[in-house]
Amino acid sequence: MDGGEEFVPPPECPVFEPSWEEFADPLGYIAKIRPIAEKSGICKIRPPPDWQPPFAVEVDNFRFTPRIQRLNELEAETRVKLNYLDRIAKFWEIQASSLKIPNIERRSLDLFSLAKIVTDEGGFEAVCKERRWARVAQKLGYPPGKNIGSLLRSHYERIVYPFELFQSGASLPPCKPRLYDSDEIDREYKPHSIPLRQSVPPSKMSSYGRRANRLKPEPEPTEEDIEKNPELKKLQIYGAGPKMMGLGLVPRDKTRKKDPDIPPPPPNLIMTMRLRRNLSNPQFVDSFVCRMCGRGDEDEKLLLCDGCEDNYHTFCLIPPLSDPPKGNWRCPKCVAECKKPTEAFGFEQATREYTLQSFGEMADTFKADYFNMPVHMVPTELVEREFWRLVSSIEEDVTVEYGADIHSKEFGSGFPVNNGKRHLSDEEEEYARSGWNLNVMPVLEQSVLCHINADISGMKVPWLYVGMVFSAFCWHIEDHWSYSINYLHWGEPKTWYGVPSSSALKLEAVMKKLTPELFEFQPDLLHQLVTIMNPNILMSHGVPVVRTNQCAGEFVITFPRAYHSGFNQGYNFAEAVNFCTADWLPTGRSCIEHYRWLRRYCVFSHEELTCKMAACPEKLDLNLAAATHREMFIIVQEERKLRKSLLERGIKEAEREAFELLPDDERQCDKCKTTCFLSALACSNCQERLVCLYHSQDLCSCPSEKLYLRYRYTLDELLAMLHRLKVRAESFDSWANRVKEALEQEEGNKIDIKDLEVLKGEAADKKFPNNELLQRLNTVLADIHKCESSSTELLGNSQSRRMSLEELRTLVNTTQNLPCVMKQLEEVQVRRRENRPKIWDIKYLSSGLKIQALLEEGASLPVVAPACELLSGLQEQGRWLGEVRRTLGPEGSEVTLDVLRNLMESGCNVPQSVSVETAMAELQELLTIAERWEEKAQICLEDSRQKHHLSTLEAIVNEAQLIPVQLPNILSLQACLSRARAWVTDLEEIQNGEHYPCLDDLEGLVAIGRDLPVNMEELKQLELQVASAHSWREKASKTFLKKNSQHSLLEVLCPCVEKSKKREENSLGTEEDSDVNLLGLTAQDLRDPGAIVMAFKEGERQEKEALLRLQQVNLTKPGNGGSAPSLTSSQSVCVCNGPPRPLLHRCHLCKDWFHGGCVPFPALLGSLETNLTKPLCWWDWNTRFLCPRCQRSRRPRLETILALLVALQKLPVRLPEGEALQCLTERAINWQGRAKQALDTPEVQRALERLQQVEEEMSSIKEEEPEEKNKWNGNTDVNSPKKSEEKAANGVESLLSLVPCLKGPVIDLTTSTRAQLEELQLEGDLLEVMLDQTHSIYRILQAASQPPHDALHTLIQVREESRGSKSKDSRRKRKSQKTESEAKSTEATECKKTKSTDPHTGTHWSQAHILFVTIKCL
């Protein structure tokens, strides 16, 4: 299989799962499945789930040294290619020219396949002459049409052809050397781009050499050897087998570098490759002659061999050399000495000893690193494909370790063993005795191996196997072609491949055909367990192959002469042993004949084993005795024939020899290595040798009178043993005849029961197999005992249950058919005749008798009469029909579906009749109709996507009520209809009320309506109304509420009564109250608009009173002149509840103190352009500050609120927020009217005119001082935002110097006017609405008071500190203040645009008032 082809898994082998009964006899079960499993060669057995033997190995003391396996050397074809590459690489290295394997079409050229294909095509000359290089390229798998053929010819001629000539021993006439562009480069290469693998010693940790015996040091040569071969010390033995001659020549100077203690040789002794150019010394002139052409001219091109010191012209060599080689060089004669056969390939032992834990860690790490995933997640299919890819790859060299053939007798078995070394528990004792314990199976009574006294390791004594991923066991069959069984104790699976015994010769033929090089010097290669071949290749050549994955706790059995191989999926622990059954004996004899042909050593003597069993036939199992008799008969006949041939040759001397007492190596045939037992031929002159009788001609050349026979038994003794076996084997036939005769006795000749018992006991004593005849005998005896027991109970009236008439008849018939005499038979027949009339009388009794009386009479009979069953059926029918009539009758209770189903179920158990069938049909019809209506109702209740109208559901309920069955779903649907009608009634009451319905009422109706499975048109309309109300509320919330506000919309719109009271009680508290009913109304009062208005008015009054009290409390807080608090005050201030500290400012409304960093203070200059032109008009400065507690909302303008009221009037729903908004709007308009009247009084008008006059005077003064003006105004480019910010900063800083110069009051107001304006200002600040009159009143009151120097100082300093801070929070606050200031300015500007007259004249108020009155009228 080429490396690029995908591996196709073979079919699975048979898998068997025995029952506990089958599992109790291991060899019997294997014999039972053999006809099926033997066809596949291997099979898998899964024990019963509860069979789980404990792991008995002492893990801490278990230490082993594994074998080393390099995967690509296991596969036969790959190893042949590697051997070829090693030889050709060494050939060119000896020629002082390195080899580089060319790359064609992005893959390395397969030199072995190229050479083989060219040879098959007739050789290099034939392929060149007939121009078949394109065909060669096609066979190598290269695509046509790329001129690859000529490239292959070039590489073959340059690399392979000289080596093939060298291998064939041919010579070519001198030719002019052909120059290649890559010759100089090739000499610098190492063979096939890697170091010589034979010369790489294994690392002590992980990497290993390629061959098992490659690293063994060679014996030190003697002086005589050195004289005969001066090159001996420069020759090292490597190769594809354990040793392969001629492929590892290393110069002496290189080998000596390995030992630093040995000094280097003198320069004149170092053998180097050089040219003979110095001709000045006459004593060397005679040696300057080319060994090829015999001429000494052109001495500058003469090469000196570093081996034999002969001379060769560079152009006379094959191939000719264009340039002298750089390193050591040897001539063709020295190279030819390296052509020696390879030795057997084997595995090396690792240099490291492992414990189970250390080996498992190494194995798991290797697998996880190789597949780059956890070991338990790697699929078995992936490991299988990768394994066969690696073993077929020349380039990839993966090395693994395998703890194989570990002796369990030395290291301990994985199964519990009762050897007295340690105490076993009861469970371990059970498994130690189990036949499936691999220590027990080989020595079972039915096993042939139990007759071998020696503990043969691996056959009678199990071997242990500790595997890792990719570790493999190669194609092989078991010793003596025996059975084998393998148990996987734990770990990852083991993958097996098997070939049936019928195809064993075909497998051997295929492997010899594909890799003849391996079998040439190693004929028994397949017996060495070192060679594997891809199953796909075998299958392609007609060899049937099966596979299986053996998991932990499973057995795999291989059958005689069944080739098998496989590999491990990962870290695991297995145990294996051989066993032989009676059917194996002919196969074992055939194996000995095969071993004799291969000259292979035997593990034990087959003749000795057979004779040992024949010597004690009474101890043999019957099947084993019969098989041993057949085997012994063949052996005796063959022995007689062989001894007769010796007599014909004149060999008459003989002596008895106890061969079993001799060591095996002293009784092996010198020719075929077979272990002799029955006889052997020896020579008195050649005492150290003997041969089996099959090779009597090959012992020695001594005369026949010197030869003599050594025998174990005489022929008469062998015949006597054979006779005893025959008697043992035929004893079964005698017993079988007597059993047949006893079982087939006719009436009058029947035997006694005791005779049958004697036959059964004889079968047990003589260990007859479990056969059909014995089973019949056991069945008859069981029937006899059963009939005796039944008859005794019947006659003694001691039955646990009464016997039926059919059972009585069967008892009589069985007793009559028994082959023995039954004493109770006559009495039973009498009882049968006595009971029969009574039974038939019951059938013909008058129908007028009561059924119960008949049943009581039948119960008194000793046998159950069939008529009793009929009467019981009639009684059950009457009882059931009565129950049906009572249930469905008018006086019956409520009928449910369960009642109907129970009646149907019990009716099925009643004997059928016309009445019962009619009642069942009626019940079934009623049940079907009821279930159909129940299903309809369930669909109506559960289908929320398609709801039905009220009328449709009413029709369904009305029609279903006609059925006389109580239906749960119909009742639920009826309840839903009642709720739907109530819902419609509630909706009509709400819609027909005096006022619009409240939102809460509508939301409740919508929630109820959605849960009802009824389609109501009013629900959609309600949902739209509720959605529009929610939309209006959301819009109003966005208008009033600040971002992240803790107040609800209703709290903002209503007077702050409760909170004002709380602040009065604890003016320093900052915790927000929960959402409460600020108006103090119940849910019912909220539905009355009049009650809401009255409560709102009362709330306004309470709010004002509470605020006045709060002001009095806050004004009593310690301060400096009533304007600034004392820093030593212990009272807490501000929203932070902290102590007073510098830079405090007082709220204009509640008069409490606040820190500059806790709340945003107003921008001092307000409108930048206005105030900078009139810096001394301090009453226009923006010093008015309302704390977050007093200003709870955005305070939109009245026009925005009126737009919300217009939208509210369109809603057919009442909201508490809407009522509150109307009250707030009315309150704002009323306040605006009173403020206008106050501002229109003559005194206030004169004050305003005075303020206007003062401002004009200050403006005229500033115009005369341009420098001062520049100081205030800064840069004239006021349109630039950046310049405006700089101007504002400069202006605020400059105001600090003006504060002491401010004078006041500017205007005078009477006490009554001031009081009126202050009261208006207080009420206006309480409004959550922005009105222009609020600012006008504040401006007048400021001008009529002293300048607030302390407050101005504080605001200016706070401004400077906030400007100097560079934190992100400060910048965010300034941006927010600037946005609010700009918004206020924008609203003020828009307000001014709407006014056509003076803001105090009333035009704007008239429009708002008219709009509000219009809304109220609506």
Side-chain angles (χ1 to χ4, degrees):
M1 187 184 76
D2 295 337
E5 295 183 8
E6 187 77 12
F7 177 76
V8 179
E12 292 291 324
C13 76
V15 180
F16 299 95
E17 297 181 357
S19 63
W20 275 110
E21 182 180 358
E22 295 172 325
F23 196 71
D25 182 11
L27 296 183
Y29 182 71
I30 293 173
K32 178 181 179 181
I33 65 175
R34 183 168 65 90
I36 299 175
E38 196 174 26
K39 297 177 182 178
S40 301
I42 65 172
C43 72
K44 182 167 67 174
I45 296 179
R46 292 196 184 105
D50 295 336
W51 197 83
Q52 297 178 357
F55 187 61
V57 170
E58 296 182 5
V59 178
D60 297 334
N61 300 329
F62 190 87
R63 296 180 177 274
F64 65 97
T65 302
R67 297 174 180 175
I68 302 164
Q69 294 182 336
R70 190 167 291 184
L71 297 184
N72 58 2
E73 297 174 3
L74 298 177
E75 214 279 330
E77 291 187 327
T78 310
R79 192 192 306 166
V80 171
K81 294 179 181 179
L82 291 173
N83 292 345
Y84 184 83
L85 287 178
D86 289 338
R87 293 199 301 272
I88 194 172
K90 182 56 66 177
F91 168 78
W92 283 110
E93 184 184 28
I94 293 174
Q95 296 294 317
S97 178
S98 300
L99 168 67
K100 176 186 177 182
I101 297 180
N103 282 331
I104 301 179
E105 291 293 314
R106 298 182 179 179
R107 61 187 175 98
S108 299
L109 177 60
D110 189 348
L111 296 178
F112 172 77
S113 300
L114 175 62
K116 190 173 183 181
I117 292 174
V118 171
T119 302
D120 294 341
E121 292 290 333
F124 176 70
E125 292 81 1
V127 174
C128 293
K129 182 177 180 180
E130 299 179 12
R131 297 182 179 181
R132 286 184 286 186
W133 287 104
R135 185 191 302 177
V136 173
Q138 185 177 1
K139 288 186 176 182
L140 284 173
Y142 291 108
K146 293 189 176 182
N147 200 24
I148 295 178
S150 60
L151 193 59
L152 291 176
R153 173 181 176 176
S154 173
H155 292 315
Y156 184 91
E157 187 175 6
R158 177 168 60 90
I159 301 173
V160 182
Y161 188 48
F163 176 69
E164 295 293 334
L165 289 176
F166 160 69
Q167 291 287 92
S168 63
S171 61
L172 294 176
C175 60
K176 297 183 71 175
R178 180 175 180 179
L179 300 179
Y180 297 97
D181 296 336
S182 61
D183 279 350
E184 188 66 27
I185 301 175
D186 288 346
R187 281 192 204 90
E188 300 175 2
Y189 271 91
K190 291 297 179 184
H192 37 86
S193 303
I194 59 175
L196 273 179
R197 297 204 312 260
Q198 299 89 337
S199 62
V200 179
S203 168
K204 291 184 178 181
M205 296 303 295
S206 58
S207 59
Y208 301 90
R210 229 186 93 206
R211 297 293 182 260
N213 301 322
R214 180 189 314 133
L215 302 175
K216 291 185 179 180
E218 292 298 318
E220 194 70 25
T222 63
E223 294 181 1
E224 182 180 358
D225 293 332
I226 296 175
E227 290 177 0
K228 292 181 180 179
N229 189 356
E231 285 297 306
L232 185 57
K233 279 198 173 183
K234 295 190 292 180
L235 182 63
Q236 289 186 347
I237 300 174
Y238 297 106
K243 297 176 182 177
M244 181 173 183
M245 301 293 190
L247 301 184
L249 295 177
V250 180
R252 183 190 299 264
D253 57 339
K254 294 183 180 179
T255 61
R256 293 204 172 209
K257 290 179 183 178
K258 298 180 180 178
D259 193 350
D261 298 332
I262 301 177
N268 59 344
L269 292 181
I270 300 177
M271 296 183 182
T272 58
M273 181 177 52
R274 58 195 182 275
L275 288 171
R276 290 276 192 175
R277 296 187 181 182
N278 185 10
L279 304 178
S280 60
N281 192 347
Q283 63 181 351
F284 294 106
V285 172
D286 294 339
S287 63
F288 291 169
V289 176
C290 175
R291 294 293 182 183
M292 296 291 289
C293 63
R295 293 183 292 121
D297 56 348
E298 298 190 53
D299 51 279
E300 69 278 0
K301 294 192 176 182
L302 277 176
L303 284 178
L304 175 64
C305 174
D306 286 302
C308 61
E309 297 190 355
D310 287 342
N311 293 274
Y312 294 85
H313 284 121
T314 58
F315 51 80
C316 290
L317 294 171
I318 302 173
L321 299 179
S322 59
D323 295 316
K326 295 180 179 180
N328 290 351
W329 177 81
R330 290 171 177 78
C331 65
K333 183 177 69 173
C334 292
V335 172
E337 293 182 4
C338 301
K339 295 174 60 178
K340 296 182 180 180
T342 62
E343 293 188 11
F345 171 72
F347 295 128
E348 305 172 16
Q349 289 293 117
T351 57
R352 177 185 175 187
E353 187 180 59
Y354 287 95
T355 64
L356 282 178
Q357 180 178 356
S358 60
F359 188 84
E361 292 172 353
M362 180 274 295
D364 288 342
T365 302
F366 175 87
K367 183 176 181 181
D369 293 343
Y370 188 92
F371 291 100
N372 196 23
M373 67 177 73
V375 292
H376 64 278
M377 296 181 63
V378 183
T380 56
E381 298 81 3
L382 174 61
V383 179
E384 187 173 24
R385 289 196 303 270
E386 185 65 14
F387 173 78
W388 290 113
R389 188 189 69 82
L390 288 175
V391 299
S392 303
S393 172
I394 298 178
E395 292 81 7
E396 296 189 52
D397 197 7
V398 176
T399 301
V400 295
E401 300 179 34
Y402 190 18
D405 299 344
I406 302 173
H407 300 272
S408 64
K409 198 161 189 178
E410 179 181 354
F411 295 93
S413 171
F415 289 96
V417 179
N418 196 355
N419 52 11
K421 292 184 178 180
R422 68 183 186 91
H423 177 71
L424 301 181
S425 64
D426 295 340
E427 181 187 10
E428 291 174 331
E429 284 281 358
E430 180 183 354
Y431 285 106
R433 295 191 302 267
S434 173
W436 292 94
N437 185 326
L438 299 195
N439 299 277
V440 177
M441 179 172 285
V443 295
L444 289 174
E445 190 174 303
Q446 303 94 328
S447 174
V448 174
L449 296 182
C450 71
H451 299 278
I452 299 178
N453 294 331
D455 288 338
I456 305 174
S457 182
M459 290 199 72
K460 283 186 66 177
V461 180
W463 272 350
L464 309 176
Y465 299 85
V466 185
M468 65 176 291
V469 67
F470 298 145
S471 58
F473 50 101
C474 303
W475 285 112
H476 69 285
I477 49 181
E478 300 300 321
D479 291 333
H480 289 259
W481 297 353
S482 61
Y483 287 84
S484 77
I485 181 168
N486 185 293
Y487 180 75
L488 189 61
H489 285 280
W490 47 258
E492 300 192 57
K494 186 189 293 283
T495 301
W496 290 73
Y497 304 96
V499 174
S501 59
S502 58
S503 301
L505 292 176
K506 184 179 292 185
L507 180 142
E508 296 171 0
V510 170
M511 295 191 71
K512 290 178 181 178
K513 174 184 176 182
L514 296 179
T515 57
E517 299 87 351
L518 299 181
F519 288 86
E520 183 177 355
F521 300 105
Q522 200 172 356
D524 62 342
L525 177 67
L526 292 175
H527 292 275
Q528 308 304 320
L529 286 82
V530 293
T531 305
I532 201 167
M533 180 169 282
N534 196 302
N536 290 164
I537 297 177
L538 297 175
M539 294 166 67
S540 64
H541 286 80
V543 179
V545 183
V546 296
R547 71 172 301 280
T548 190
N549 284 332
Q550 179 191 13
C551 299
E554 296 178 343
F555 290 97
V556 168
I557 294 179
T558 68
F559 288 83
R561 208 185 182 185
Y563 273 98
H564 52 278
S565 66
F567 66 93
N568 295 293
Q569 293 277 344
Y571 177 46
N572 57 25
F573 191 101
E575 189 168 354
V577 77
N578 295 104
F579 65 94
C580 300
T581 56
D583 61 271
W584 164 83
L585 286 172
T587 306
R589 178 168 34 85
S590 301
C591 177
I592 297 299
E593 296 173 0
H594 184 72
Y595 283 0
R596 185 180 295 119
W597 176 75
L598 287 176
R599 299 182 180 180
R600 175 176 168 82
Y601 294 102
C602 302
V603 178
F604 58 85
S605 172
H606 186 78
E607 294 175 345
E608 179 181 356
L609 174 62
T610 307
C611 290
K612 188 173 183 180
M613 290 189 294
C616 301
E618 65 278 356
K619 295 182 180 180
L620 300 181
D621 174 79
L622 189 64
N623 287 336
L624 184 56
T628 306
H629 176 263
R630 291 190 294 269
E631 185 69 15
M632 192 68 182
F633 179 81
I634 297 173
I635 290 175
V636 170
Q637 294 299 323
E638 188 70 15
E639 185 69 15
R640 177 185 293 176
K641 178 181 175 182
L642 292 172
R643 294 187 185 185
K644 182 179 179 181
S645 65
L646 292 181
L647 290 174
E648 291 174 354
R649 287 179 56 190
I651 302 174
K652 299 181 180 179
E653 296 293 329
E655 67 177 27
R656 187 184 293 270
E657 181 71 60
F659 283 101
E660 67 271 17
L661 302 180
L662 297 177
D664 284 355
D665 55 351
E666 294 183 10
R667 55 175 176 145
Q668 288 173 348
C669 174
D670 195 60
K671 177 68 175 179
C672 64
K673 309 304 179 185
T674 301
T675 302
C676 300
F677 177 74
L678 283 179
S679 59
L681 186 64
C683 177
S684 57
N685 292 341
C686 308
Q687 294 291 340
E688 71 280 0
R689 300 180 61 192
L690 59 80
V691 294
C692 65
L693 300 190
Y694 288 97
H695 298 99
S696 59
Q697 304 289 345
D698 301 321
L699 176 60
C700 61
S701 58
C702 298
S704 59
E705 56 269 14
K706 297 293 182 181
L707 305 180
Y708 64 95
L709 175 69
R710 300 171 63 180
Y711 66 93
R712 179 66 182 85
Y713 298 107
T714 64
L715 290 177
D716 292 339
E717 291 172 340
L718 291 176
L719 291 174
M721 294 168 60
L722 187 63
H723 177 70
R724 288 197 298 272
L725 277 176
K726 181 179 180 182
V727 171
R728 168 64 176 160
E730 292 178 352
S731 62
F732 176 77
D733 296 336
S734 173
W735 174 85
N737 291 332
R738 285 186 287 125
V739 171
K740 289 179 182 178
E741 183 179 354
L743 295 179
E744 295 174 358
Q745 292 291 342
E746 297 180 356
E747 188 69 30
N749 296 325
K750 293 185 177 182
I751 62 176
D752 193 72
I753 299 176
K754 294 181 179 180
D755 297 335
L756 295 178
E757 295 285 355
V758 169
L759 290 174
K760 179 181 178 182
E762 182 181 354
D765 295 338
K766 294 186 177 181
K767 300 178 182 178
F768 291 155
N770 186 13
N771 53 80
E772 183 181 357
L773 200 58
L774 181 59
Q775 291 176 359
R776 282 183 57 195
L777 179 60
N778 290 331
T779 302
V780 168
L781 288 173
D783 291 342
I784 291 173
H785 294 307
K786 184 177 179 180
C787 291
E788 284 182 341
S789 175
S790 300
S791 301
T792 303
E793 291 179 357
L794 178 64
L795 297 176
N797 294 325
S798 59
Q799 306 174 77
S800 58
R801 67 175 185 87
R802 292 193 303 162
M803 187 180 299
S804 67
L805 182 62
E806 186 63 31
E807 290 174 343
L808 180 60
R809 186 181 295 114
T810 303
L811 176 62
V812 172
N813 295 334
T814 304
T815 306
Q816 290 176 343
N817 294 329
L818 290 175
C820 60
V821 178
M822 293 288 295
K823 299 178 181 179
Q824 297 90 343
L825 178 60
E826 294 181 1
E827 297 182 16
V828 171
Q829 290 177 335
V830 170
R831 183 62 58 89
R832 179 186 177 189
R833 288 192 295 270
E834 291 175 354
N835 291 332
R836 182 178 302 163
K838 296 181 181 180
I839 295 172
W840 286 106
D841 287 345
I842 293 174
K843 292 185 178 180
Y844 297 102
L845 282 175
S846 172
S847 59
L849 297 177
K850 294 183 179 180
I851 295 178
Q852 185 63 32
L854 293 175
L855 287 174
E856 292 176 357
E857 183 179 357
S860 63
L861 297 176
V863 179
V864 177
C868 291
E869 297 181 3
L870 177 61
L871 292 175
S872 298
L874 292 175
Q875 189 179 33
E876 291 179 8
Q877 289 178 6
R879 188 183 300 113
W880 181 80
L881 290 173
E883 184 178 357
V884 171
R885 285 192 294 271
R886 286 193 301 273
T887 302
L888 300 182
E891 298 180 356
S893 60
E894 293 183 351
V895 181
T896 63
L897 291 176
D898 292 337
V899 171
L900 292 178
R901 293 191 183 101
N902 292 335
L903 284 175
M904 292 286 295
E905 184 177 355
S906 59
C908 294
N909 299 326
V910 172
Q912 298 299 306
S913 65
V914 177
S915 302
V916 172
E917 292 177 356
T918 303
M920 287 285 288
E922 294 178 358
L923 288 176
Q924 182 63 50
E925 182 181 5
L926 182 60
L927 180 61
T928 302
I929 295 173
E931 288 178 344
R932 187 181 301 119
W933 281 107
E934 187 74 352
E935 184 179 356
K936 284 184 180 181
Q938 185 176 1
I939 293 174
C940 294
L941 290 172
E942 295 180 354
D943 192 359
S944 59
R945 294 174 297 178
Q946 184 178 0
K947 296 182 179 181
H948 300 277
H949 290 282
L950 189 62
S951 57
T952 303
L953 298 180
E954 288 177 344
I956 292 176
V957 170
N958 294 334
E959 191 171 353
Q961 287 178 345
L962 300 177
I963 302 174
V965 181
Q966 185 177 0
L967 304 177
N969 289 337
I970 293 295
L971 296 177
S972 299
L973 188 60
Q974 189 175 1
C976 290
L977 289 177
S978 301
R979 285 191 292 158
R981 297 189 192 99
W983 186 87
V984 173
T985 303
D986 293 342
L987 177 61
E988 291 176 353
E989 290 179 358
I990 291 174
Q991 290 180 344
N992 296 333
E994 183 180 356
H995 306 289
Y996 280 139
C998 293
L999 179 60
D1000 294 341
D1001 297 338
L1002 294 185
E1003 287 179 339
L1005 287 175
V1006 168
I1008 295 173
R1010 286 175 177 171
D1011 292 339
L1012 292 175
V1014 184
N1015 184 7
M1016 293 175 289
E1017 297 296 336
E1018 297 86 350
L1019 180 59
K1020 297 180 180 178
Q1021 183 179 358
L1022 286 184
E1023 288 175 342
L1024 292 176
Q1025 293 177 3
V1026 170
S1028 60
H1030 283 291
S1031 176
W1032 182 90
R1033 179 187 285 172
E1034 183 179 357
K1035 185 176 179 181
S1037 297
K1038 292 181 179 179
T1039 302
F1040 277 91
L1041 298 183
K1042 298 178 182 178
K1043 187 177 182 182
N1044 299 327
S1045 174
Q1046 297 181 354
H1047 302 282
S1048 65
L1049 178 60
L1050 189 59
E1051 286 179 343
V1052 170
L1053 297 179
C1054 292
C1056 187
V1057 179
E1058 296 294 331
K1059 293 188 178 182
S1060 296
K1061 289 181 179 180
K1062 185 174 181 180
R1063 287 172 61 191
E1064 178 185 350
E1065 296 171 0
N1066 186 10
S1067 61
L1068 302 178
T1070 58
E1071 295 293 332
E1072 294 293 340
D1073 297 338
S1074 59
D1075 190 8
V1076 297
N1077 183 9
L1078 300 176
L1079 298 179
L1081 299 177
T1082 63
Q1084 187 63 31
D1085 293 336
L1086 288 175
R1087 291 173 170 80
D1088 186 6
I1092 294 177
V1093 173
M1094 294 298 295
F1096 196 90
K1097 295 295 184 181
E1098 181 62 22
E1100 292 177 12
R1101 183 185 63 77
Q1102 293 178 3
E1103 180 184 32
K1104 184 176 178 181
E1105 293 176 357
L1107 182 61
L1108 292 175
R1109 291 193 298 269
L1110 180 62
Q1111 285 180 350
Q1112 293 177 3
V1113 173
N1114 290 335
L1115 287 174
T1116 60
K1117 290 184 179 181
N1120 186 9
S1123 60
S1126 172
L1127 297 180
T1128 61
S1129 174
S1130 60
Q1131 291 183 324
S1132 58
V1133 297
C1134 191
V1135 293
C1136 66
N1137 252 359
R1141 60 175 181 266
L1143 301 182
L1144 292 175
H1145 194 48
R1146 173 163 277 170
C1147 175
H1148 183 69
L1149 184 57
C1150 67
K1151 305 302 181 181
D1152 202 356
W1153 296 101
F1154 293 88
H1155 299 124
C1158 295
V1159 296
F1161 285 168
L1164 190 60
L1165 295 180
S1167 180
L1168 183 62
E1169 299 176 354
T1170 304
N1171 289 293
L1172 287 179
T1173 56
K1174 300 180 289 183
L1176 296 179
C1177 299
W1178 52 270
W1179 54 87
D1180 286 332
W1181 292 1
N1182 188 17
T1183 60
R1184 182 170 175 267
F1185 163 64
L1186 294 180
C1187 67
R1189 297 168 177 168
C1190 296
Q1191 185 174 345
R1192 298 171 295 162
S1193 68
R1194 297 178 181 272
R1195 296 207 172 185
R1197 297 191 61 83
L1198 188 59
E1199 292 82 356
T1200 306
I1201 298 174
L1202 294 175
L1204 285 174
L1205 288 175
V1206 173
L1208 178 64
Q1209 298 301 320
K1210 296 179 181 179
L1211 294 177
V1213 183
R1214 290 177 57 239
L1215 293 88
E1217 292 85 357
E1219 304 289 346
L1221 182 60
Q1222 289 183 356
C1223 294
L1224 176 61
T1225 306
E1226 184 176 358
R1227 178 183 178 186
I1229 291 176
N1230 291 337
W1231 181 88
Q1232 189 179 43
R1234 290 189 291 112
K1236 172 186 172 300
Q1237 292 177 3
L1239 291 174
D1240 288 342
T1241 59
E1243 182 181 358
V1244 176
Q1245 289 295 325
R1246 287 194 300 272
L1248 290 173
E1249 291 174 0
R1250 172 60 183 162
L1251 284 178
Q1252 184 69 25
Q1253 181 181 356
V1254 172
E1255 290 176 359
E1256 290 175 358
E1257 290 175 358
M1258 289 184 179
S1259 298
S1260 62
I1261 293 174
K1262 290 301 178 181
E1263 289 175 359
E1264 295 174 0
E1265 300 175 1
E1267 294 181 0
E1268 191 70 18
K1269 182 177 181 180
N1270 290 336
K1271 177 181 178 182
W1272 290 99
N1273 294 337
N1275 197 306
T1276 57
D1277 187 10
V1278 297
N1279 294 326
S1280 173
K1282 184 175 180 181
K1283 298 299 182 179
S1284 299
E1285 292 177 3
E1286 293 177 357
K1287 183 168 68 175
N1290 294 334
V1292 171
E1293 294 173 356
S1294 302
L1295 287 179
L1296 191 59
S1297 60
L1298 291 179
V1299 170
C1301 303
L1302 301 178
K1303 305 295 182 181
V1306 181
I1307 59 175
D1308 296 326
L1309 294 176
T1310 62
T1311 304
S1312 60
T1313 303
R1314 175 185 290 274
Q1316 182 184 7
L1317 292 178
E1318 287 178 350
E1319 184 178 0
L1320 284 173
Q1321 184 179 7
L1322 176 64
E1323 295 178 0
D1325 289 339
L1326 289 174
L1327 293 173
E1328 294 296 337
V1329 183
M1330 182 180 290
L1331 298 170
D1332 294 335
Q1333 288 78 6
T1334 306
H1335 179 68
S1336 299
I1337 294 174
Y1338 175 75
R1339 181 169 173 265
I1340 293 172
L1341 291 175
Q1342 283 289 92
S1345 305
Q1346 291 289 339
H1349 296 94
D1350 293 338
L1352 293 176
H1353 271 288
T1354 300
L1355 292 176
I1356 292 172
Q1357 290 177 6
V1358 170
R1359 178 69 174 179
E1360 289 178 352
E1361 286 186 2
S1362 62
R1363 181 174 174 271
S1365 176
K1366 299 299 183 181
S1367 64
K1368 294 182 179 180
D1369 293 339
S1370 297
R1371 290 200 300 271
R1372 191 178 298 112
K1373 288 179 180 180
R1374 290 201 304 273
K1375 184 176 180 181
S1376 175
Q1377 292 172 1
K1378 182 178 177 182
T1379 304
E1380 291 179 2
S1381 178
E1382 290 176 355
K1384 293 178 180 179
S1385 301
T1386 304
E1387 290 181 358
T1389 305
E1390 293 176 355
C1391 182
K1392 290 179 181 179
K1393 290 180 180 179
T1394 59
K1395 297 177 183 179
S1396 58
T1397 60
D1398 185 74
H1400 309 295
T1401 57
T1403 304
H1404 175 243
W1405 180 87
S1406 300
Q1407 293 175 352
H1409 184 70
I1410 294 170
L1411 180 59
F1412 180 72
V1413 172
T1414 304
I1415 291 172
K1416 288 192 68 177
C1417 294
L1418 293 174

